[in-house]
Amino acid sequence: MALPVEEWRRIAARRWAALEPALRERLAAAPLGEALRVGCGLFGPEDAALRRLCGRVRTGKEPAAARFYREEGNRRFGSCRYRDAARLYSQAAAHEPPRSPEVALCFANRSAALFHLGYFEVCLEDIARAESHGYPDRLLPKVLLRKAECLLRLGRLQDATDTLTAVENKMTVDGIMTSPIHLTLLKKLNQLKIEIHEGRGCPEPSREAHVDIQRESEIWEENGSISGASSSLSLNFNTERGRHLVASQDILPGQNLLKEKAFVSVLCPGEGDSFLLQDSSETVWDTQVTNADLYCHHCLKQLLASVPCCGCSYAKYCSQNCADVAWEQYHRTECPLGALLLILGVFCHVALRTVLLAGFSEVSRLVEWSHDDSNKDLCSAETGDKLPSEALDTRAGTKGIPGCNDNGQYQSSYQAVFNLLPHVEKHSSEHKFLCMLSIVAMCKKLQETGLEAAVLNRGSSTMGSEQKTYGKTSDELSPELMIIAEAMLRHVLQLQCNAQAVTVMQELESGDGAVVNKKPVRLATAFFPVLSLLNHSCSPNISVSFSGTVATVRASQPIPSGQEIFHCYGPHRCRMRVAERQQLLSQYFFECRCQACLDELESDVESVSMRNSFCCPSCQASMQGEEMLCCSNKACALSVSRERLSRRLLDLQQQMEKALELLRDSKADEAIRVLLKCQMDARNFLSPEHLLMGELEDHLAQIYATLGKWQEAARHLERSIQLVEMHHGPSSVEMGHELFKLAQILFNGFAVSEALSTIQRAEEILSVHCGPQSTQIQELQEMKTCLLELPRSILQRT
C-alpha cells in the first residue's frame, strides 16, 4: 500500500477542502520548505484522529496473541501441516518478550516442525536459539535428542555422539527415569546410539531454505562512470529525454547490463486497509500469511525461521545479523513508529528510511544545495524547460549531469536519489497537501517521542529497550527536523515516478510439490538510482530480475550501438491496448511516444484488445463497441452492455478462485468439476484467445499434476502455453516460466525425449531473462542431468 490508508486520505481531503481559497493557492505554489512551515501550523485537529487510527494497528508485543498463534501452530503440527505450523510459531515468537522461556518454547516448537520438513541445519539454529533464550531445563532432553538426530542426518556423527552423551548425563542427574515421557526419551536415545554405532550417516539429504539467488557472479567489465553498469552503456542527457542510458557497443540477448543494490527498500505489508485496521473492540488475530511473514524486512530474502525484532511484533529477519544491522541503521527509530508508518503507507516509510540511511549531514548538505537558484537549471531541463546552452556541455562527458559527483560519476548514492525528479509542479495540489500533512505528522511524532536525536545521528537507542519520551509539544518543528521533513516530502513526491517495485516469483502452496507453481508478486518498494535512469517503452529491450535487494538488468533482445536502453514501467504492449497504456502512464507525467504506441496509433489495429475481447453469447462471433457491445455477425446483431459481461467475467474469476481453494483443501476432484464448468461458461462469452482461457488450462494442469496424471496435465498446460506465446511472444519471460512448469510435468511423467526438448527451450529463454545461474536454470539442468543418466535402453524406448 503505497499511499496512506483510506481513512487518513479522507481526513486530509476534508481538511484541504475546508481551507480558505487564498491559503490553498499559497500552498499549491509554495516551495516544499515553505509548504511544510505552513503545514506545521495547520496540523492539530488531525492528531487525535491519527492516534485513533494507530490504535487500530497492532505492532506491539501481545502475550495473548502469542498464545493464540502457538496453539494454532500446535493444531497444524498435530495435522502434519508442518510448514503452516512453523509460520505460526514464528508469529508467536514475534509477540513474546525477548529472552523469555515463552519465546524459547516457540523456537523449540518451530525446530520440531523444521525437523519434519527436512531443514536440519535450520532446525539446529532454532534449538540453539531456544537454549540461549532460557528453554526450561526439565524439557531440555527432548530438544537435545532432536539436535542429535539432526546431526546424525547431516552425517556429523561425532557431534551427534557428544550430544547424546550430554542427554544421558542430563537424564541421570535429573534422576527421574521411570515416567512414561522419560522412558520414551530413553528408547529414542538408545535407538540413536545404535544408528551412530552402525555408522548410518545421512539417510536423507538435508533441505536448504529456498531462496532465489545468483550462485556465481557473471564476469563482466564494469563501467567507470556509472556504478554497477556494464562498460557497454553510456550516460546521456538532453532536454527532450533527460538522463538516459544508451548502448555504446552492440549488445547481445542475455548480456548483463546492470547490477544494482537498492539504496533503500521497504517491504510491502499487504494489500488493502482491512489487513491493517481492526476495530478497537476486536481481539481476533489473523492467521493470513503476508509478505511480512515470508521475507526478511532487511535483505528481502525468503524466511523459513525468522528472528523477531526485540521491540515490536511486526519486523522479522532472516538472521540475527540482519536484525542487528537493521536496528543500527534505521529500525531503532522506526520500531516505536510501527503503527504510524503502516497507516501513512510505504512511500512515507521509504522516505523516512532514506534520510536515516543517508544521515543528517548529507541530507542537510543537499537540501541547502537545492535552495541555491543556480542549481535549479539542470533539474529544470529534465522537466522540459529551456536550458541555457552554456549550462550543460555533453561533450565534456557526464560531468555536470544531475546526480553525478564532482568526478562525473553517477553512483548509487544519496546524491543520485536526491536528484531524481520530484515533479513538484505536476502533482495535484490536494495530493501534495496529503503528502505534506503525512510528513508533518511523522516529524511531530519523532519530536514528541524523543526520537529526534536518533534521526539527527546524535545518539542511539538500546535494542529492545523502552523508548523514553522527552516530548516537545510546540506547533513548530526544530530547524533540523524541518530539513529532514523537506527531504522526506521531496522523496515521497519522487516515488510516484521513481519507485521501483521489487518483484519475486512466489511459490503457490497447493498440490504435492512435484510441480512448483509460481506467480509474480510485488515484494517491496525501493529506490534504485541507476535503474531509474532508464526511460519507458511499452516494448522494452531489457528484462529486470531481483535477488533480495539487488536488481539485475539483462538485454532481452539484440541492442545495436547507439540505441537507447528501455525499461517498461508496467503497461506492456502485450497486456493492454494503447489507450489503456496511455491512461496508466499518465501518473508518470508524460505521454508515451514509444515506437510500439506510435505503430498502434498509426495502424489503428488493437490486436491485444481483440485477443482479450468478449464474444457473442448467442453465436460466438466477436463483439464490437465501447459501453454497449454489438455482435459483429449481422445475422445475429445481439446487443449487450459491457458492464454485464464484465460482471460475468468477475463471477467466473471468483469461481476459479473457489476451485483453487478446493485444491488447497485436498479436494482435487471437486476442483476439476468447478474448473470444467468455468471452461464451458467462458466459451459462451470470451474469445478463444482470451488470457483467462489460458489460466483455466493452467489451473487444470496444476490439479492433474497433483493427482499424478501427468499426460492430462501436460495436455492442458500445452494449450495454456499456446495462448501465452500468442500474447507475450515466443521468447518472453512468461513463456519461459510456462515451459519450466511443462518440463517438470514431463520429467515427473517420465516423458524423457519431450522433457529434454522442453528443458532446452526453457533454458534458452530463462537464461536470457534471469541469467545462467538463476534457480530455475539450475533446476532445469538438474532435471536434464538426471534424465541423461538413465540407462540407454530406457532413453531409446522413450
Side-chain angles (χ1 to χ4, degrees):
M1 192 169 57
L3 295 176
V5 297
E6 186 178 351
E7 286 189 46
W8 177 244
R9 295 201 300 270
R10 286 202 300 264
I11 290 169
R14 287 196 296 267
R15 186 74 166 110
W16 172 257
L19 295 178
E20 293 291 333
L23 183 54
R24 286 206 299 266
E25 285 184 26
R26 179 185 171 191
L27 282 169
L32 298 183
E34 183 183 339
L36 284 162
R37 280 188 287 275
V38 175
C40 285
L42 294 173
F43 186 82
E46 298 78 19
D47 186 44
L50 192 57
R51 289 177 188 273
R52 284 195 297 272
L53 284 174
C54 289
R56 293 169 57 190
V57 179
R58 289 173 165 153
T59 58
K61 304 283 189 183
E62 297 184 67
R67 284 193 298 274
F68 167 79
Y69 287 121
R70 190 165 58 245
E71 289 167 4
E72 284 295 311
N74 291 341
R75 275 192 276 274
R76 301 292 203 286
F77 189 93
S79 303
C80 300
R81 295 169 63 179
Y82 300 119
R83 192 173 293 275
D84 289 344
R87 285 180 181 155
L88 286 161
Y89 291 141
S90 293
Q91 288 177 286
H95 280 280
E96 295 286 13
R99 295 172 292 280
S100 66
E102 291 77 18
V103 76
L105 283 171
C106 295
F107 291 140
N109 288 356
R110 191 171 67 186
S111 75
L114 294 168
F115 177 83
H116 284 284
L117 290 168
Y119 295 111
F120 302 125
E121 289 283 7
V122 189
C123 176
L124 289 172
E125 292 173 11
D126 256 0
I127 290 171
R129 288 190 187 105
E131 290 183 272
S132 66
H133 282 75
Y135 189 70
D137 196 60
R138 58 187 174 80
L139 300 175
L140 204 53
K142 184 178 180 180
V143 170
L144 290 177
L145 281 175
R146 187 179 304 135
K147 178 180 179 180
E149 195 162 0
C150 281
L151 293 167
L152 179 62
R153 296 290 180 269
L154 293 169
R156 294 162 57 181
L157 302 186
Q158 186 56 55
D159 291 339
T161 301
D162 294 344
T163 303
L164 286 179
T165 301
V167 175
E168 206 164 16
N169 293 338
K170 171 71 179 163
M171 293 176 70
T172 302
V173 170
D174 287 348
I176 306 172
M177 307 292 286
T178 56
S179 69
I181 293 176
H182 281 77
L183 289 174
T184 302
L185 291 175
L186 274 174
K187 183 178 178 181
K188 184 70 175 177
L189 187 150
N190 290 327
Q191 178 187 340
L192 289 174
K193 286 168 72 175
I194 291 169
E195 289 186 25
I196 291 174
H197 180 71
E198 292 176 354
R200 302 182 203 172
C202 187
E204 55 183 294
S206 172
R207 298 176 63 184
E208 294 181 1
H210 175 73
V211 287
D212 192 10
I213 60 172
Q214 304 299 321
R215 288 172 171 79
E216 296 175 12
S217 297
E218 296 172 49
I219 299 172
W220 68 326
E221 185 179 346
E222 189 165 347
N223 196 300
S225 300
I226 312 164
S227 66
S230 162
S231 59
S232 60
L233 303 181
S234 63
L235 173 59
N236 286 16
F237 184 105
N238 61 45
T239 54
E240 180 184 353
R241 306 204 57 78
R243 292 167 292 187
H244 57 283
L245 296 180
V246 173
S248 56
Q249 60 189 56
D250 292 343
I251 294 171
L252 299 173
Q255 191 171 326
N256 196 337
L257 303 180
L258 172 67
K259 183 168 286 189
E260 181 182 17
K261 188 177 188 297
F263 180 82
V264 61
S265 62
V266 170
L267 197 68
C268 298
E271 293 298 325
D273 297 355
S274 58
F275 160 70
L276 293 172
L277 297 174
Q278 298 184 15
D279 190 279
S280 56
S281 62
E282 290 180 350
T283 55
V284 178
W285 294 281
D286 196 357
T287 58
Q288 177 187 354
V289 177
T290 68
N291 284 347
D293 307 306
L294 296 175
Y295 297 92
C296 177
H297 288 224
H298 179 66
C299 71
L300 303 183
K301 288 182 181 176
Q302 195 166 351
L303 291 176
L304 187 60
S306 60
V307 175
C309 169
C310 291
C312 68
S313 61
Y314 178 68
K316 305 174 185 73
Y317 304 96
C318 65
S319 65
Q320 190 59 51
N321 180 62
C322 268
D324 293 342
V325 171
W327 183 266
E328 184 60 32
Q329 291 183 348
Y330 52 81
H331 192 62
R332 63 176 179 169
T333 304
E334 295 177 357
C335 188
L337 303 177
L340 179 64
L341 291 173
L342 290 170
I343 290 293
L344 296 182
V346 170
F347 278 8
C348 283
H349 196 163
V350 171
L352 173 62
R353 190 172 292 182
T354 299
V355 297
L356 291 172
L357 289 171
F360 178 71
S361 176
E362 183 69 356
V363 171
S364 178
R365 180 182 74 83
L366 286 166
V367 168
E368 184 178 347
W369 173 88
S370 70
H371 293 166
D372 187 342
D373 290 339
S374 65
N375 292 322
K376 295 178 181 178
D377 288 338
L378 295 179
C379 297
S380 297
E382 279 198 282
T383 64
D385 297 339
K386 290 185 178 179
L387 181 71
S389 57
E390 67 273 10
L392 178 67
D393 183 2
T394 54
R395 292 171 300 177
T398 56
K399 200 167 184 178
I401 293 179
C404 290
N405 62 22
D406 294 339
N407 297 320
Q409 295 174 317
Y410 191 93
Q411 298 178 319
S412 188
S413 63
Y414 182 65
Q415 179 168 322
V417 170
F418 192 87
N419 276 279
L420 296 174
L421 291 177
H423 293 291
V424 176
E425 72 291 344
K426 294 181 180 178
H427 290 278
S428 71
S429 300
E430 188 171 337
H431 176 71
K432 284 192 287 188
F433 182 76
L434 167 66
C435 296
M436 180 271 293
L437 209 60
S438 300
I439 294 301
V440 168
M442 195 189 307
C443 289
K444 292 269 190 181
K445 188 70 174 177
L446 289 168
Q447 190 165 264
E448 174 192 323
T449 54
L451 292 168
E452 183 177 354
V455 176
L456 304 179
N457 310 119
R458 292 178 180 168
S460 61
S461 305
T462 303
M463 189 169 185
S465 65
E466 292 294 323
Q467 295 287 339
K468 295 180 181 179
T469 302
Y470 302 94
K472 293 181 183 177
T473 57
S474 168
D475 286 344
E476 295 183 1
L477 297 175
S478 68
E480 293 86 356
L481 266 185
M482 280 298 298
I483 291 171
I484 291 292
E486 183 174 342
M488 285 199 289
L489 181 54
R490 180 186 182 93
H491 297 324
V492 170
L493 296 175
Q494 285 173 329
L495 282 162
Q496 180 159 324
C497 295
N498 293 286
Q500 173 64 53
V502 177
T503 58
V504 293
M505 294 299 293
Q506 192 174 91
E507 290 186 17
L508 300 175
E509 290 191 11
S510 56
D512 60 1
V515 176
V516 179
N517 199 20
K518 297 184 178 184
K519 67 172 182 178
V521 297
R522 182 173 187 143
L523 176 58
T525 297
F527 269 135
F528 289 92
V530 180
L531 184 56
S532 292
L533 293 172
L534 300 183
N535 283 326
H536 166 81
S537 169
C538 298
S539 183
N541 50 18
I542 55 102
S543 276
V544 183
S545 59
F546 297 91
S547 176
T549 59
V550 176
T552 301
V553 176
R554 290 183 175 83
S556 59
Q557 61 191 53
I559 304 175
S561 179
Q563 187 177 100
E564 186 173 349
I565 311 300
F566 287 111
H567 186 17
C568 179
Y569 291 0
H572 196 285
R573 66 185 298 271
C574 292
R575 301 186 184 98
M576 58 186 73
R577 56 187 180 177
V578 63
E580 294 169 327
R581 298 202 305 269
Q582 295 284 2
Q583 185 177 0
L584 278 175
L585 286 167
S586 64
Q587 66 178 301
Y588 299 105
F589 307 120
F590 70 86
E591 182 181 357
C592 185
R593 306 295 292 172
C594 74
Q595 197 59 49
C597 285
L598 293 175
D599 290 346
E600 287 181 49
L601 288 168
E602 288 175 7
S603 65
D604 201 30
V605 174
E606 296 186 343
S607 57
V608 174
S609 177
M610 294 297 292
R611 291 200 298 261
N612 275 335
S613 64
F614 296 114
C615 69
C616 176
S618 177
C619 70
Q620 279 67 61
S622 62
M623 300 292 283
Q624 298 175 340
E626 291 300 326
E627 298 305 317
M628 183 58 68
L629 301 176
C630 299
C631 180
S632 59
N633 179 5
K634 294 182 179 179
C636 175
L638 178 73
S639 295
V640 63
S641 70
R642 181 179 293 276
E643 182 184 1
R644 181 179 172 185
L645 292 182
S646 296
R647 284 200 304 268
R648 196 169 169 183
L649 177 60
L650 181 61
D651 291 341
L652 196 64
Q653 290 169 326
Q654 291 171 345
Q655 287 299 307
M656 289 167 62
E657 183 55 41
K658 178 184 174 183
L660 294 179
E661 288 177 10
L662 289 169
L663 177 60
R664 286 191 283 269
D665 292 337
S666 302
K667 298 176 181 177
D669 291 334
E670 290 183 49
I672 289 173
R673 283 196 292 272
V674 172
L675 285 178
L676 290 176
K677 184 178 183 303
C678 287
Q679 205 170 43
M680 290 180 60
D681 291 344
R683 287 170 182 156
N684 288 329
F685 73 103
L686 296 181
S687 66
E689 298 84 13
H690 199 287
L691 266 178
L692 190 129
M693 304 298 286
E695 289 178 35
L696 282 165
E697 297 287 0
D698 193 276
H699 293 331
L700 283 166
Q702 180 185 350
I703 298 173
Y704 281 117
T706 301
L707 296 173
K709 297 181 178 180
W710 306 112
Q711 288 185 340
E712 278 290 297
R715 183 168 59 85
H716 284 286
L717 192 56
E718 283 165 354
R719 291 176 187 165
S720 172
I721 287 173
Q722 290 174 2
L723 290 175
V724 169
E725 183 172 1
M726 183 185 300
H727 281 267
H728 299 289
S731 302
S732 63
V733 67
E734 292 84 358
M735 189 70 173
H737 292 315
E738 289 299 299
L739 288 170
F740 177 78
K741 286 190 285 188
L742 181 60
Q744 292 177 95
I745 287 172
L746 295 170
F747 176 85
N748 284 286
F750 212 57
V752 179
S753 59
E754 294 94 331
L756 286 171
S757 63
T758 303
I759 287 169
Q760 183 176 345
R761 287 179 65 199
E763 271 190 286
E764 290 170 356
I765 295 171
L766 291 175
S767 62
V768 168
H769 294 281
C770 307
Q773 301 299 328
S774 69
T775 299
Q776 285 182 307
I777 293 293
Q778 297 295 319
E779 291 179 22
L780 287 167
Q781 290 174 348
E782 288 169 8
M783 283 191 280
K784 180 165 64 176
T785 300
C786 182
L787 292 173
L788 292 175
E789 287 176 351
L790 292 171
R792 185 178 298 275
S793 57
I794 295 177
L795 289 172
Q796 289 173 343
R797 287 204 303 271
T798 57

